Amino acid sequence: MVMMFLHVNFIHGEDPYRFYTWNVTYGDIYPLGVKQQGILINGQFPGPPIQCVTNDNLIINVFNNLDDSFLISWNGVEQRRNSWQDGVYGTNCPIPPGKNFTYVLQVKDQIGSFHYFPSLAFHKAAGGFGSINIASRSVIPVPFPPPAGEFTILTGDWFKQNHSDLKAILDGGHDLPFPDGILINGRGSNGYTFTVDQGKIYRFRISNVGLTTSVNFRIQGHKMMVVEVEGTHTVQNTYDSLDIHLGQSYSVLLTADQPAQDYYIAVSTRFTSQVLTATSTLRYSNSAGSVSGPPPGGPTIEIDWSFNQARSLSVSFVPADTPLKLADHFNIPGVFTLGSIPDSPTGSGAYLQTSVMAADFRAYTEVIFENLEDSVQSYHIDGHHFFVVGMGRGEWTPASRLTYNLRDTISRSTVQVYPKSWTALYMPLDNVGMWNIRSQNWARQYLGQQFYLRVYSPVNSWRDENPIPSNALVCGRASS
């Protein structure tokens, strides 16, 4: 029997420490009714949740009992001054089979809803993901009343094929097939029930942990008030349904104010010719009846609908409005070359390179993602949050800046880019280290749609960047 250990220690004068021991293994799973090889953490699929509080220190000892090297990354956790713990190949050597590595993280100055996932070898298609929920400290006011309870929903598309078979498809130069279904907390339709008391308010933390598709989330007969997006408290707008793109996380409040019965919770794919849907049940504790009728319908291929919803997300402060150009600082021969990726597209053909872009600590940068394709794309930047100042159709031009929202735009770490469109970000470079910028479409990420941003400070000081940890793994072998 595998056991999970969690200890919370309070040391005088320091922030609390939470200790975890995780055993990573293969195991049989049946999320869509077909036996698959899954990746389990302490025997669980999805993996165990991390419940913590702002500034907590998380000590997570990961034992890799797979027959393959393994890493875990922490989507949205900023790893202040500490890219050594980010769990991606550019900053962490993999944990070899039969070895362990202890991650030492601090959720410094963060609140909100996030998730973790395995970052190597298409392992994400086998599981190994779980939720990270960071609560505010008790002395910090929260802009909504305490809910009667909280639920976490990890949802996304899923394939019946094993992750190794999907990896082989990509290695062979082919596209992945269309997904086989949608999972809600590791199960297909009708596999999960969330019980609420009539008249009370509940918080749902929802993350899209899928591989290839955006999803739409809705609850039959109920409206949802968005209160938090990836660590940012938002203006509290109400929605009938919510688009959640790959890698994104939201918190919504639901008031159980309908007649006492069961209601569908529905998740369906967005912007796909074939629409996949999975359902769970919202059950009133005094329910007088089961779900009735078909699951609630949602938007399918409508781009403008999603555009408008994305633009409606806002907060009440003004971001900086002075973009600065990224600059080169130094090269490290034989490992990577700073400046190997240009600041702007060149239109030339693709070439093989470990791409690293250099930037100054405490500068601000403007990032433009342009999507020339017919599918929605989603991008994540590790170690930072950014302000989504603009979205538009067609090609971005300097005149597009006239449309930017510099008043109350949302701050987050994962953003979508709609087909034949652009998304503009302003980002404070306030975290020294080497940070992964990647597509959240996991086939694209696996095939190389990612690069690294090196945020550099000339001051060799622990105040800017932590030293390499003493237990760092050396690529090719385990450190002593």
Side-chain angles (χ1 to χ4, degrees):
M1 181 176 70
V2 176
M3 299 184 67
M4 180 182 73
F5 299 94
L6 166 61
H7 307 283
V8 181
N9 291 347
F10 295 90
I11 301 174
H12 182 70
E14 292 188 72
D15 293 306
Y17 281 73
R18 297 175 185 263
F19 295 86
Y20 302 79
T21 300
W22 286 359
N23 187 29
V24 180
T25 61
Y26 289 123
D28 293 339
I29 58 174
Y30 301 81
L32 293 177
V34 175
K35 180 180 176 179
Q36 293 178 253
Q37 183 188 63
I39 292 179
L40 313 180
I41 299 179
N42 293 345
Q44 299 180 45
F45 169 76
I50 294 177
Q51 304 283 358
C52 56
V53 177
T54 300
N55 292 344
D56 280 359
N57 295 280
L58 310 180
I59 315 300
I60 306 170
N61 193 359
V62 177
F63 288 82
N64 177 17
N65 291 293
L66 308 181
D67 57 6
D68 199 3
S69 296
F70 186 76
L71 277 177
I72 292 179
S73 192
W74 320 91
N75 204 75
V77 177
E78 292 183 0
Q79 312 283 1
R80 306 299 300 177
R81 304 184 295 116
N82 199 20
S83 65
W84 315 110
Q85 308 290 339
D86 201 30
V88 290
Y89 208 4
T91 52
N92 291 123
C93 294
I95 308 170
K99 302 295 182 179
N100 71 296
F101 176 74
T102 300
Y103 291 91
V104 181
L105 321 176
Q106 186 181 26
V107 288
K108 181 67 173 172
D109 299 331
Q110 286 193 266
I111 58 96
S113 309
F114 308 98
H115 58 276
Y116 62 85
F117 65 93
S119 62
L120 296 181
F122 225 64
H123 288 152
K124 188 178 180 182
F129 51 77
S131 62
I132 306 172
N133 298 331
I134 309 174
S136 297
R137 298 173 68 185
S138 59
V139 296
I140 304 299
V142 175
F144 50 86
E150 288 194 4
F151 301 104
T152 295
I153 293 181
L154 301 175
T155 188
D157 58 357
W158 192 258
F159 295 82
K160 292 180 179 179
Q161 293 161 280
N162 286 337
H163 77 280
S164 54
D165 297 326
L166 297 173
K167 178 176 175 291
I169 291 172
L170 295 173
D171 290 342
H174 304 288
D175 293 333
L176 292 181
F178 190 72
D180 294 300
I182 297 287
L183 299 189
I184 299 175
N185 289 350
R187 303 176 186 178
S189 278
N190 305 317
Y192 223 91
T193 298
F194 302 87
T195 301
V196 298
D197 292 333
Q198 192 172 32
K200 294 184 178 180
I201 297 174
Y202 293 84
R203 181 176 186 169
F204 284 76
R205 299 177 184 260
I206 315 152
S207 294
N208 183 346
V209 297
L211 299 172
T212 64
T213 58
S214 303
V215 298
N216 181 267
F217 178 89
R218 52 204 180 270
I219 301 177
Q220 182 184 27
H222 294 75
K223 295 186 179 295
M224 300 174 291
M225 177 185 292
V226 173
V227 294
E228 177 254 327
V229 175
E230 295 161 23
T232 298
H233 288 134
T234 67
V235 170
Q236 295 173 9
N237 294 327
T238 300
Y239 303 92
D240 294 318
S241 69
L242 190 64
D243 276 357
I244 307 175
H245 304 277
L246 288 165
Q248 293 184 339
S249 299
Y250 287 80
S251 282
V252 302
L253 294 184
L254 174 140
T255 302
D257 57 0
Q258 298 301 303
Q261 62 178 62
D262 293 355
Y263 296 88
Y264 283 112
I265 296 175
V267 181
S268 58
T269 55
R270 284 286 268 128
F271 319 113
T272 56
S273 55
Q274 176 186 350
V275 178
L276 299 174
T277 301
T279 59
S280 288
T281 301
L282 179 75
R283 172 165 296 161
Y284 281 55
S285 58
N286 58 339
S287 175
S290 60
V291 292
S292 60
T300 54
I301 61 172
E302 300 87 348
I303 297 289
D304 287 341
W305 186 97
S306 191
F307 245 116
N308 292 333
Q309 185 176 85
R311 288 169 172 154
S312 71
L313 298 172
S314 60
V315 292
S316 299
F317 58 85
V318 180
D321 60 357
T322 306
L324 299 179
K325 184 177 182 295
L326 295 172
D328 294 349
H329 285 287
F330 55 86
N331 294 333
I332 304 178
V335 180
F336 55 81
T337 303
L338 290 168
S340 56
I341 180 171
D343 288 358
S344 300
T346 63
S348 60
Y351 58 93
L352 185 64
Q353 178 68 265
T354 301
S355 297
V356 179
M357 184 174 284
D360 289 322
F361 180 43
R362 295 198 177 110
Y364 284 81
T365 188
E366 178 183 41
V367 178
I368 311 297
F369 287 114
E370 279 193 345
N371 180 6
L372 304 180
E373 301 185 22
D374 295 324
S375 58
V376 176
Q377 298 187 27
S378 183
Y379 292 95
H380 178 84
I381 301 179
D382 278 352
H384 292 79
H385 65 277
F386 47 72
F387 301 103
V388 185
V389 294
M391 293 180 175
R393 294 296 187 91
E395 182 179 351
W396 181 92
T397 68
S400 302
R401 293 191 179 111
L402 298 175
T403 68
Y404 283 3
N405 175 7
L406 303 179
R407 183 182 66 258
D408 59 357
T409 186
I410 195 71
S411 170
R412 63 188 316 165
S413 59
T414 303
V415 71
Q416 71 273 22
V417 190
Y418 292 103
K420 310 294 185 184
S421 301
W422 55 266
T423 296
L425 318 175
Y426 280 180
M427 186 170 71
L429 301 178
D430 58 357
N431 200 9
V432 173
M434 183 79 74
W435 303 108
N436 188 235
I437 299 179
R438 61 178 175 268
S439 171
Q440 293 284 57
N441 180 306
W442 219 241
R444 290 175 176 267
Q445 184 273 351
Y446 175 77
L447 294 173
Q449 196 173 61
Q450 59 178 311
F451 68 96
Y452 285 84
L453 177 69
R454 174 61 168 128
V455 179
Y456 173 72
S457 170
V459 179
N460 184 18
S461 170
W462 62 267
R463 292 181 178 85
D464 290 348
E465 184 175 24
N466 289 349
I468 297 175
S470 59
N471 68 333
L473 295 175
V474 179
C475 291
R477 63 181 176 87
S479 62
S480 58

